[in-house]
């Protein structure tokens, strides 16, 4: 006789009788650890990162181009403009009131333009015809002042810079270059400005180094501008000195008058 024995079902398995017939019974096996499913590639995040890098790269390139342009302009364009320019000017103009039969008169002057120091110095020699005094003139654009040294009177006069008449140093330099080349002819009319002497200046140091050097040791007075006009009228009987000079596209006659 053969004896057949069955082992007790393992814990976790259900009895086949409790589930139904043996043919339809299921054996539940313990499952192993679940395998991790691979995460999808974050293509959107990678795309945004690449776009940011591209934008940064373009910004760096543009900045490089800007700095390169500034370097080229500074070293190859502005270097051609001298730090100072010295010119001898000869300008023809008309004075139909005082010299109606003379035709065009000639005005000569020596001009020094200091672009970096931002000032101009003009020397007007004794004119060929009377009616105007020789003078040294300084236009200081930093102090915004103009000083006239009337050589005939040996006196200095100081007034606020009139930028509507006096050209900036760089612009005046360019104008004189064109005049020297013959590519531009100045106007023949004269602008007249009248100034009144107001008070004496005792301390010249606040006027700046350039004006101080010009007027040191000389009687110096402040001026007040009265009128500016294009037509030249006959000089009045009041005590006035006249200085004709060229600092724009036209000749300027500055009348400096004492109080009546």
């Amino acid at each position: 006789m053969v004896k057949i024995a069955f082992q007790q079902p393992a814990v976790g398995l259900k009895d086949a009788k409790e589930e139904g017939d043996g043919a339809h019974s299921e054996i539940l096996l313990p499952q192993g650890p679940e395998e991790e499913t691979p995460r999808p590639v974050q293509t959107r995040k990678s795309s945004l990162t690449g776009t940011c890098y591209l934008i940064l790269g373009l910004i760096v390139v543009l900045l490089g181009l800007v700095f390169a342009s500034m370097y080229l302009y500074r070293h190859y364009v502005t270097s051609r403009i001298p730090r100072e320019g010295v010119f001898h000017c000869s300008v023809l103009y008309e004075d139909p009131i005082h010299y109606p039969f003379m035709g065009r008169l000639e005005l000569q002057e020596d001009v020094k333009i200091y672009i970096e120091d931002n000032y101009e110095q003009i020397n007007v020699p004794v004119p060929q015809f009377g009616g105007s005094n020789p003078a040294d003139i300084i236009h200081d654009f930093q102090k915004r002042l103009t000083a006239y040294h009337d050589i005939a009177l040996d006196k200095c006069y100081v007034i606020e810079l009139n930028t509507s008449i006096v050209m900036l140093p760089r612009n005046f330099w360019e104008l004189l270059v064109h005049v020297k080349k013959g590519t531009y002819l100045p106007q023949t009319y004269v602008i007249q400005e009248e100034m009144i002497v107001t008070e004496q200046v005792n301390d010249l140091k606040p006027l700046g180094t350039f004006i101080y050097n010009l007027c040191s040791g000389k009687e110096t007075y402040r001026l007040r501008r009265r009128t500016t006009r294009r037509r030249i009228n006959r000089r009045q009987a009041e005590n006035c000195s006249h200085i004709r000079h060229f600092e724009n596209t036209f000749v300027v006659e500055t009348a400096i008058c004492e109080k009546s």
Side-chain angles (χ1 to χ4, degrees):
M1 175 182 291
V2 179
K3 186 176 180 180
I4 301 174
F6 294 93
Q7 296 180 354
Q8 293 293 329
V11 178
L13 298 180
K14 294 185 178 180
D15 193 352
K17 291 182 179 181
E18 294 177 0
E19 297 293 335
D21 295 337
H24 299 284
S25 63
E26 295 180 356
I27 299 176
L28 300 179
L29 299 177
Q31 297 182 357
E34 296 182 356
E35 296 182 358
E36 296 182 358
T37 57
R39 296 180 180 180
V41 180
Q42 298 180 355
T43 57
R44 183 177 181 181
K45 184 176 181 180
S46 300
S47 177
L48 291 175
T49 303
T51 303
C52 292
Y53 283 129
L54 179 61
I55 294 175
L56 288 175
L58 291 175
I59 293 175
V60 171
V61 171
L62 290 175
L63 289 176
L65 291 175
V66 170
F67 285 116
S69 301
M70 293 174 61
Y71 176 84
L72 291 174
Y73 178 81
R74 180 176 180 181
H75 290 275
Y76 293 97
V77 178
T78 59
S79 61
R80 297 182 181 180
I81 300 177
R83 296 183 178 181
E84 68 175 75
V86 180
F87 300 89
H88 177 75
C89 302
S90 179
V91 183
L92 298 178
Y93 67 98
E94 298 174 353
D95 187 354
I97 301 296
H98 303 98
Y99 302 97
F101 304 107
M102 295 297 297
R104 292 187 176 182
L105 305 177
E106 184 180 26
L107 172 66
Q108 295 186 1
E109 67 181 25
D110 294 318
V111 181
K112 293 182 180 180
I113 300 176
Y114 300 86
I115 294 178
E116 288 193 349
D117 295 325
N118 206 21
Y119 84 99
E120 304 165 357
Q121 183 174 351
I122 300 173
N123 172 256
V124 183
V126 178
Q128 184 178 1
F129 300 96
S132 178
N133 291 354
D136 289 316
I137 306 169
I138 283 183
H139 299 298
D140 189 339
F141 284 82
Q142 290 184 347
K143 291 291 186 178
R144 300 187 68 83
L145 292 172
T146 292
Y148 302 92
H149 173 218
D150 190 320
I151 298 176
L153 301 177
D154 196 24
K155 293 182 180 180
C156 260
Y157 303 94
V158 181
I159 194 171
E160 292 182 359
L161 179 65
N162 186 2
T163 55
S164 63
I165 290 182
V166 183
M167 297 185 71
L168 294 170
R170 187 180 299 274
N171 296 341
F172 195 32
W173 183 88
E174 293 177 352
L175 172 66
L176 294 180
V177 168
H178 289 299
V179 172
K180 185 176 181 180
K181 290 180 178 178
T183 57
Y184 180 82
L185 294 178
Q187 303 295 329
T188 58
Y189 59 83
V190 178
I191 291 291
Q192 186 181 57
E193 56 180 3
E194 296 182 4
M195 302 177 183
I196 304 296
V197 177
T198 58
E199 60 183 359
Q200 188 169 359
V201 180
N202 296 318
D203 187 7
L204 300 179
K205 291 182 179 179
L207 303 179
T209 303
F210 308 125
I211 295 179
Y212 178 87
N213 293 335
L214 176 67
C215 299
S216 179
K218 305 175 183 67
E219 293 183 18
T220 304
Y221 300 89
R222 288 193 180 274
L223 298 175
R224 175 174 54 85
R225 187 170 286 104
R226 184 160 66 180
T227 59
T228 300
R229 54 195 176 198
R230 173 167 175 176
R231 184 176 181 82
I232 303 178
N233 296 330
R234 291 189 179 273
R235 294 179 175 87
Q236 300 178 1
E238 59 185 336
N239 184 20
C240 299
S241 61
H242 298 262
I243 300 173
R244 290 186 178 180
H245 47 104
F246 176 70
E247 55 199 12
N248 204 310
T249 59
F250 43 80
V251 173
V252 179
E253 181 181 78
T254 301
I256 302 175
C257 304
E258 299 287 344
K259 289 183 179 180
S260 56

